[in-house]
Amino acid sequence: MRVLVAGANGQVGQHVVRLLAEKGHEVRAMIRDKDQAPTLRELGGEPVVADLEGEVAHTVEGCDAVIFSAGGGPGSGAEKKETIDRQGAVKLVEAARKHGTRRYVMVSAMGAADPEAGSEAMQPYLHAKAQADETLQESGLDYTIVRPGSLTDEAGTGTVEAAPSLGKRGEIPREDVARAIVATLEKENTFSKTFEVLSGDTPIEEALDSL
Ligand SMILES: NC(=O)c1ccc[n+]([C@@H]2O[C@H](COP(=O)([O-])OP(=O)(O)OC[C@H]3O[C@@H](n4cnc5c(N)ncnc54)[C@H](OP(=O)(O)O)[C@@H]3O)[C@@H](O)[C@H]2O)c1
């Protein structure tokens, strides 16, 4: 598949680009700084420079799938949550519909199911994620929404726990999130599904098959 990765230079995004390329997918890696291009090329992606706060629709053209793993980041304020986490994701939903790109995998967050239950500091982020997820759920696209717990930089284990609602909080290595995203891409049983994912004991493929 030809796959657009938004947030390709991010910590999850770089794993995603590498894993997609290893699986033989053609990866269009969206970056906002051309100096990041050599890193993305080394990982196996073809960089495209675009800013989610600007015009990005063209980056989807010719792609079979979009993976959204961008975000304003923990250091950013409510305004960036709105322009990047929500509007940026929604722009790519609209672009996917316009260009006939059917598949869209969203990296959301645990807590987006009930933003009001989050801390005051987290609420702008969780509301932005929840609204982007809702737009995608109503888009008519073949979507999958992945909601990981707190991300860590530990090496991935290849095993997780996944369910529409896990009823608890926890952590998961970014590498395992990336593996789950890449594994879900062509798994039709995950189409039109929204699920939470944490570190666990079940091999990723098996955990996704049981959704
Ligand atoms: N941190 C957590 O515990 C947690 C938990 C659950 C879900 N998540 C979500 O998981 C996803 C991946 O997280 P991560 O740790 O990989 O985040 P990250 O390292 O901060 O990566 C985010 C990426 O988004 C890019 N980006 C930011 N603004 C952009 C813009 N205007 N246009 C284009 N790209 C832009 C950044 O570009 P630059 O490289 O140029 O900065 C960066 O590459 C995010 O959606 C995050 O919200 C995080």
Side-chain angles (χ1 to χ4, degrees):
M1 287 173 106
R2 187 181 292 161
V3 188
L4 173 72
V5 180
N9 188 60
Q11 300 164 89
V12 171
Q14 289 199 16
H15 285 298
V16 169
V17 171
R18 173 177 54 80
L19 293 166
L20 286 171
E22 280 172 13
K23 280 189 97 175
H25 294 291
E26 204 176 306
V27 190
R28 191 174 290 171
M30 189 198 291
I31 50 174
R32 54 178 171 169
D33 177 351
K34 65 174 171 31
D35 291 346
Q36 297 162 345
T39 306
L40 273 304
R41 279 206 187 91
E42 232 167 81
L43 292 167
E46 186 49 47
V48 55
V49 180
D51 192 321
L52 286 163
E53 293 187 290
E55 173 52 52
V56 286
H58 62 284
T59 63
V60 180
E61 198 171 355
C63 287
D64 305 298
V66 173
I67 294 176
F68 187 90
S69 184
S76 68
E79 191 200 324
K80 294 285 179 194
K81 310 300 184 208
E82 169 63 17
T83 58
I84 300 167
D85 296 75
R86 188 183 79 76
Q87 289 179 18
V90 168
K91 277 182 195 175
L92 293 182
V93 170
E94 286 162 0
R97 292 183 61 178
K98 179 177 156 199
H99 291 297
T101 302
R102 295 285 319 151
R103 185 79 177 116
Y104 195 121
V105 181
M106 178 81 87
V107 184
S108 179
M110 198 171 250
D114 185 9
E116 294 293 324
S119 68
E120 206 176 312
M122 286 294 282
Q123 289 211 5
Y125 171 69
L126 294 175
H127 276 295
K129 284 295 205 191
Q131 288 164 10
D133 290 356
E134 201 179 316
T135 302
L136 179 58
Q137 285 162 338
E138 291 168 357
S139 67
L141 298 177
D142 293 328
Y143 72 84
T144 303
I145 296 171
V146 182
R147 290 179 167 165
S150 299
L151 305 181
T152 73
D153 292 331
E154 325 229 310
T157 61
T159 57
V160 299
E161 191 178 4
S165 177
L166 286 169
K168 61 179 179 182
R169 296 294 162 97
E171 295 185 338
I172 179 167
R174 287 181 165 87
E175 191 177 3
D176 281 334
V177 174
R179 286 180 181 160
I181 292 163
V182 171
T184 203
L185 187 64
E186 294 181 287
K187 260 190 201 304
E188 291 194 15
N189 74 295
T190 69
F191 288 14
S192 304
K193 296 224 170 107
T194 300
F195 65 90
E196 297 181 342
V197 64
L198 291 174
S199 283
D201 299 325
T202 311
I204 288 171
E205 293 277 342
E206 201 181 303
L208 296 178
D209 285 342
S210 68
L211 287 168

